[in-house]
PDB file of all heavy atoms in Angstrom:
ATOM      1  N   ILE A 206       1.719   0.042  -5.286  1.00 98.00           N
ATOM      2  CA  ILE A 206       2.571   0.298  -6.519  1.00 98.00           C
ATOM      3  C   ILE A 206       3.194   1.645  -6.428  1.00 98.00           C
ATOM      4  O   ILE A 206       4.315   1.914  -6.948  1.00 98.00           O
ATOM      5  CB  ILE A 206       1.824  -0.028  -7.853  1.00 98.00           C
ATOM      6  CG1 ILE A 206       2.867  -0.178  -8.945  1.00 98.00           C
ATOM      7  CG2 ILE A 206       0.822   1.063  -8.280  1.00 98.00           C
ATOM      8  CD1 ILE A 206       3.710  -1.531  -9.006  1.00 98.00           C
ATOM      9  N   ALA A 207       2.413   2.670  -5.702  1.00 98.00           N
ATOM     10  CA  ALA A 207       2.879   3.967  -5.756  1.00 98.00           C
ATOM     11  C   ALA A 207       4.159   3.952  -4.740  1.00 98.00           C
ATOM     12  O   ALA A 207       5.253   4.647  -5.101  1.00 98.00           O
ATOM     13  CB  ALA A 207       1.894   4.912  -5.161  1.00 98.00           C
ATOM     14  N   THR A 208       4.017   3.255  -3.685  1.00 98.00           N
ATOM     15  CA  THR A 208       5.290   3.104  -2.834  1.00 98.00           C
ATOM     16  C   THR A 208       6.440   2.364  -3.512  1.00 98.00           C
ATOM     17  O   THR A 208       7.509   2.714  -3.426  1.00 98.00           O
ATOM     18  CB  THR A 208       4.826   2.339  -1.527  1.00 98.00           C
ATOM     19  OG1 THR A 208       3.888   3.105  -0.850  1.00 98.00           O
ATOM     20  CG2 THR A 208       6.095   2.144  -0.536  1.00 98.00           C
ATOM     21  N   THR A 209       6.044   1.278  -4.375  1.00 98.00           N
ATOM     22  CA  THR A 209       7.103   0.506  -5.044  1.00 98.00           C
ATOM     23  C   THR A 209       7.958   1.493  -6.047  1.00 98.00           C
ATOM     24  O   THR A 209       9.120   1.439  -6.158  1.00 98.00           O
ATOM     25  CB  THR A 209       6.360  -0.509  -5.868  1.00 98.00           C
ATOM     26  OG1 THR A 209       5.752  -1.406  -4.943  1.00 98.00           O
ATOM     27  CG2 THR A 209       7.476  -1.336  -6.619  1.00 98.00           C
ATOM     28  N   GLN A 210       7.223   2.385  -6.568  1.00 98.00           N
ATOM     29  CA  GLN A 210       7.820   3.424  -7.589  1.00 98.00           C
ATOM     30  C   GLN A 210       8.881   4.226  -6.651  1.00 98.00           C
ATOM     31  O   GLN A 210       9.982   4.398  -7.082  1.00 98.00           O
ATOM     32  CB  GLN A 210       6.803   4.270  -8.204  1.00 98.00           C
ATOM     33  CG  GLN A 210       7.332   5.314  -9.172  1.00 98.00           C
ATOM     34  CD  GLN A 210       6.429   6.243  -9.703  1.00 98.00           C
ATOM     35  OE1 GLN A 210       5.454   6.742  -9.009  1.00 98.00           O
ATOM     36  NE2 GLN A 210       6.418   6.573 -11.034  1.00 98.00           N
ATOM     37  N   LYS A 211       8.377   4.719  -5.583  1.00 98.00           N
ATOM     38  CA  LYS A 211       9.335   5.523  -4.672  1.00 98.00           C
ATOM     39  C   LYS A 211      10.530   4.702  -4.273  1.00 98.00           C
ATOM     40  O   LYS A 211      11.685   5.139  -4.284  1.00 98.00           O
ATOM     41  CB  LYS A 211       8.568   5.909  -3.302  1.00 98.00           C
ATOM     42  CG  LYS A 211       7.653   7.011  -3.329  1.00 98.00           C
ATOM     43  CD  LYS A 211       7.264   7.341  -1.867  1.00 98.00           C
ATOM     44  CE  LYS A 211       6.220   8.420  -1.858  1.00 98.00           C
ATOM     45  NZ  LYS A 211       4.820   7.853  -1.868  1.00 98.00           N
ATOM     46  N   ILE A 212      10.360   3.462  -3.840  1.00 98.00           N
ATOM     47  CA  ILE A 212      11.386   2.550  -3.482  1.00 98.00           C
ATOM     48  C   ILE A 212      12.363   2.262  -4.621  1.00 98.00           C
ATOM     49  O   ILE A 212      13.507   2.171  -4.325  1.00 98.00           O
ATOM     50  CB  ILE A 212      10.879   1.334  -2.732  1.00 98.00           C
ATOM     51  CG1 ILE A 212       9.968   1.654  -1.482  1.00 98.00           C
ATOM     52  CG2 ILE A 212      11.992   0.347  -2.393  1.00 98.00           C
ATOM     53  CD1 ILE A 212      10.678   2.401  -0.429  1.00 98.00           C
ATOM     54  N   ALA A 213      11.868   2.002  -5.856  1.00 98.00           N
ATOM     55  CA  ALA A 213      12.600   1.737  -6.847  1.00 98.00           C
ATOM     56  C   ALA A 213      13.557   2.818  -7.176  1.00 98.00           C
ATOM     57  O   ALA A 213      14.845   2.631  -7.414  1.00 98.00           O
ATOM     58  CB  ALA A 213      11.749   1.420  -8.126  1.00 98.00           C
ATOM     59  N   ALA A 214      13.116   3.985  -7.155  1.00 98.00           N
ATOM     60  CA  ALA A 214      14.030   5.318  -7.295  1.00 98.00           C
ATOM     61  C   ALA A 214      15.034   5.271  -6.184  1.00 98.00           C
ATOM     62  O   ALA A 214      16.169   5.649  -6.517  1.00 98.00           O
ATOM     63  CB  ALA A 214      13.187   6.543  -7.329  1.00 98.00           C
ATOM     64  N   ALA A 215      14.618   5.124  -4.973  1.00 98.00           N
ATOM     65  CA  ALA A 215      15.564   5.220  -3.834  1.00 98.00           C
ATOM     66  C   ALA A 215      16.605   4.146  -3.937  1.00 98.00           C
ATOM     67  O   ALA A 215      17.854   4.321  -3.656  1.00 98.00           O
ATOM     68  CB  ALA A 215      14.703   5.198  -2.446  1.00 98.00           C
ATOM     69  N   VAL A 216      16.182   2.821  -4.270  1.00 98.00           N
ATOM     70  CA  VAL A 216      17.239   1.683  -4.314  1.00 98.00           C
ATOM     71  C   VAL A 216      18.134   1.980  -5.445  1.00 98.00           C
ATOM     72  O   VAL A 216      19.374   1.833  -5.330  1.00 98.00           O
ATOM     73  CB  VAL A 216      16.407   0.400  -4.520  1.00 98.00           C
ATOM     74  CG1 VAL A 216      17.389  -0.624  -4.961  1.00 98.00           C
ATOM     75  CG2 VAL A 216      15.685  -0.037  -3.257  1.00 98.00           C
ATOM     76  N   LYS A 217      17.678   2.526  -6.597  1.00 98.00           N
ATOM     77  CA  LYS A 217      18.594   2.966  -7.638  1.00 98.00           C
ATOM     78  C   LYS A 217      19.604   4.022  -7.191  1.00 98.00           C
ATOM     79  O   LYS A 217      20.847   3.883  -7.433  1.00 98.00           O
ATOM     80  CB  LYS A 217      17.781   3.434  -8.856  1.00 98.00           C
ATOM     81  CG  LYS A 217      18.427   3.527 -10.095  1.00 98.00           C
ATOM     82  CD  LYS A 217      17.418   3.706 -11.328  1.00 98.00           C
ATOM     83  CE  LYS A 217      18.057   3.687 -12.679  1.00 98.00           C
ATOM     84  NZ  LYS A 217      19.111   4.667 -13.040  1.00 98.00           N
ATOM     85  N   ALA A 218      19.102   5.022  -6.511  1.00 98.00           N
ATOM     86  CA  ALA A 218      19.957   6.137  -6.097  1.00 98.00           C
ATOM     87  C   ALA A 218      20.959   5.576  -5.039  1.00 98.00           C
ATOM     88  O   ALA A 218      22.100   5.964  -5.016  1.00 98.00           O
ATOM     89  CB  ALA A 218      19.169   7.246  -5.586  1.00 98.00           C
ATOM     90  N   ALA A 219      20.440   4.780  -4.036  1.00 98.00           N
ATOM     91  CA  ALA A 219      21.255   4.314  -2.989  1.00 98.00           C
ATOM     92  C   ALA A 219      22.413   3.374  -3.484  1.00 98.00           C
ATOM     93  O   ALA A 219      23.496   3.456  -2.848  1.00 98.00           O
ATOM     94  CB  ALA A 219      20.420   3.490  -2.017  1.00 98.00           C
ATOM     95  N   THR A 220      22.151   2.640  -4.486  1.00 98.00           N
ATOM     96  CA  THR A 220      23.195   1.667  -4.884  1.00 98.00           C
ATOM     97  C   THR A 220      24.000   2.137  -6.145  1.00 98.00           C
ATOM     98  O   THR A 220      25.024   1.526  -6.371  1.00 98.00           O
ATOM     99  CB  THR A 220      22.534   0.322  -5.339  1.00 98.00           C
ATOM    100  OG1 THR A 220      21.512   0.571  -6.369  1.00 98.00           O
ATOM    101  CG2 THR A 220      21.690  -0.306  -4.141  1.00 98.00           C
ATOM    102  N   GLY A 221      23.345   3.165  -6.841  1.00 98.00           N
ATOM    103  CA  GLY A 221      24.007   3.495  -8.107  1.00 98.00           C
ATOM    104  C   GLY A 221      23.795   2.486  -9.183  1.00 98.00           C
ATOM    105  O   GLY A 221      24.493   2.504 -10.299  1.00 98.00           O
ATOM    106  N   ALA A 222      22.907   1.549  -8.932  1.00 98.00           N
ATOM    107  CA  ALA A 222      22.667   0.468  -9.995  1.00 98.00           C
ATOM    108  C   ALA A 222      22.051   1.083 -11.231  1.00 98.00           C
ATOM    109  O   ALA A 222      21.207   1.927 -11.197  1.00 98.00           O
ATOM    110  CB  ALA A 222      21.683  -0.650  -9.467  1.00 98.00           C
ATOM    111  N   PRO A 223      22.495   0.749 -12.465  1.00 97.00           N
ATOM    112  CA  PRO A 223      21.934   1.193 -13.607  1.00 97.00           C
ATOM    113  C   PRO A 223      20.382   0.629 -13.998  1.00 97.00           C
ATOM    114  O   PRO A 223      19.678   1.232 -14.675  1.00 97.00           O
ATOM    115  CB  PRO A 223      22.804   0.804 -14.697  1.00 97.00           C
ATOM    116  CG  PRO A 223      23.558  -0.348 -14.128  1.00 97.00           C
ATOM    117  CD  PRO A 223      23.610  -0.234 -12.688  1.00 97.00           C
ATOM    118  N   GLY A 224      20.186  -0.513 -13.375  1.00 98.00           N
ATOM    119  CA  GLY A 224      18.927  -1.211 -13.682  1.00 98.00           C
ATOM    120  C   GLY A 224      18.191  -1.525 -12.263  1.00 98.00           C
ATOM    121  O   GLY A 224      18.928  -1.751 -11.273  1.00 98.00           O
ATOM    122  N   VAL A 225      16.964  -1.540 -12.332  1.00 98.00           N
ATOM    123  CA  VAL A 225      16.116  -2.013 -11.169  1.00 98.00           C
ATOM    124  C   VAL A 225      15.014  -2.882 -11.708  1.00 98.00           C
ATOM    125  O   VAL A 225      14.326  -2.704 -12.561  1.00 98.00           O
ATOM    126  CB  VAL A 225      15.392  -0.892 -10.395  1.00 98.00           C
ATOM    127  CG1 VAL A 225      14.560  -1.301  -9.224  1.00 98.00           C
ATOM    128  CG2 VAL A 225      16.447   0.110 -10.025  1.00 98.00           C
ATOM    129  N   MET A 226      14.977  -4.083 -10.936  1.00 98.00           N
ATOM    130  CA  MET A 226      13.928  -5.066 -11.369  1.00 98.00           C
ATOM    131  C   MET A 226      12.879  -5.139 -10.345  1.00 98.00           C
ATOM    132  O   MET A 226      13.114  -5.058  -9.076  1.00 98.00           O
ATOM    133  CB  MET A 226      14.623  -6.507 -11.290  1.00 98.00           C
ATOM    134  CG  MET A 226      13.876  -7.559 -11.985  1.00 98.00           C
ATOM    135  SD  MET A 226      15.070  -8.911 -12.350  1.00 98.00           S
ATOM    136  CE  MET A 226      15.115  -9.884 -10.902  1.00 98.00           C
ATOM    137  N   VAL A 227      11.604  -5.103 -10.798  1.00 98.00           N
ATOM    138  CA  VAL A 227      10.431  -5.197  -9.855  1.00 98.00           C
ATOM    139  C   VAL A 227       9.712  -6.524 -10.179  1.00 98.00           C
ATOM    140  O   VAL A 227       9.463  -6.826 -11.263  1.00 98.00           O
ATOM    141  CB  VAL A 227       9.453  -4.045 -10.116  1.00 98.00           C
ATOM    142  CG1 VAL A 227       8.189  -4.203  -9.316  1.00 98.00           C
ATOM    143  CG2 VAL A 227      10.121  -2.714  -9.818  1.00 98.00           C
ATOM    144  N   ILE A 228       9.530  -7.364  -9.066  1.00 98.00           N
ATOM    145  CA  ILE A 228       8.973  -8.686  -9.353  1.00 98.00           C
ATOM    146  C   ILE A 228       7.746  -8.847  -8.390  1.00 98.00           C
ATOM    147  O   ILE A 228       7.783  -8.302  -7.293  1.00 98.00           O
ATOM    148  CB  ILE A 228      10.038  -9.777  -8.950  1.00 98.00           C
ATOM    149  CG1 ILE A 228      11.198  -9.716  -9.773  1.00 98.00           C
ATOM    150  CG2 ILE A 228       9.436 -11.167  -9.128  1.00 98.00           C
ATOM    151  CD1 ILE A 228      12.355 -10.670  -9.316  1.00 98.00           C
ATOM    152  N   GLN A 229       6.709  -9.561  -8.789  1.00 98.00           N
ATOM    153  CA  GLN A 229       5.664  -9.880  -7.853  1.00 98.00           C
ATOM    154  C   GLN A 229       5.123 -11.225  -8.305  1.00 98.00           C
ATOM    155  O   GLN A 229       4.746 -11.431  -9.492  1.00 98.00           O
ATOM    156  CB  GLN A 229       4.551  -8.755  -8.024  1.00 98.00           C
ATOM    157  CG  GLN A 229       3.394  -8.777  -7.036  1.00 98.00           C
ATOM    158  CD  GLN A 229       2.422  -9.817  -7.435  1.00 98.00           C
ATOM    159  OE1 GLN A 229       1.859  -9.792  -8.559  1.00 98.00           O
ATOM    160  NE2 GLN A 229       1.948 -10.548  -6.491  1.00 98.00           N
ATOM    161  N   LEU A 230       5.099 -12.154  -7.395  1.00 98.00           N
ATOM    162  CA  LEU A 230       4.770 -13.526  -7.665  1.00 98.00           C
ATOM    163  C   LEU A 230       3.390 -13.961  -7.160  1.00 98.00           C
ATOM    164  O   LEU A 230       3.066 -13.446  -5.941  1.00 98.00           O
ATOM    165  CB  LEU A 230       5.876 -14.479  -7.112  1.00 98.00           C
ATOM    166  CG  LEU A 230       7.273 -14.229  -7.597  1.00 98.00           C
ATOM    167  CD1 LEU A 230       8.302 -15.118  -6.913  1.00 98.00           C
ATOM    168  CD2 LEU A 230       7.443 -14.359  -9.010  1.00 98.00           C
TER     169      LEU A 230
END
Side-chain angles (χ1 to χ4, degrees):
I206 200 69
T208 299
T209 300
Q210 183 185 40
K211 281 192 186 86
I212 298 299
V216 165
K217 193 169 190 294
T220 59
V225 179
M226 195 159 86
V227 175
I228 305 175
Q229 192 276 315
L230 306 174

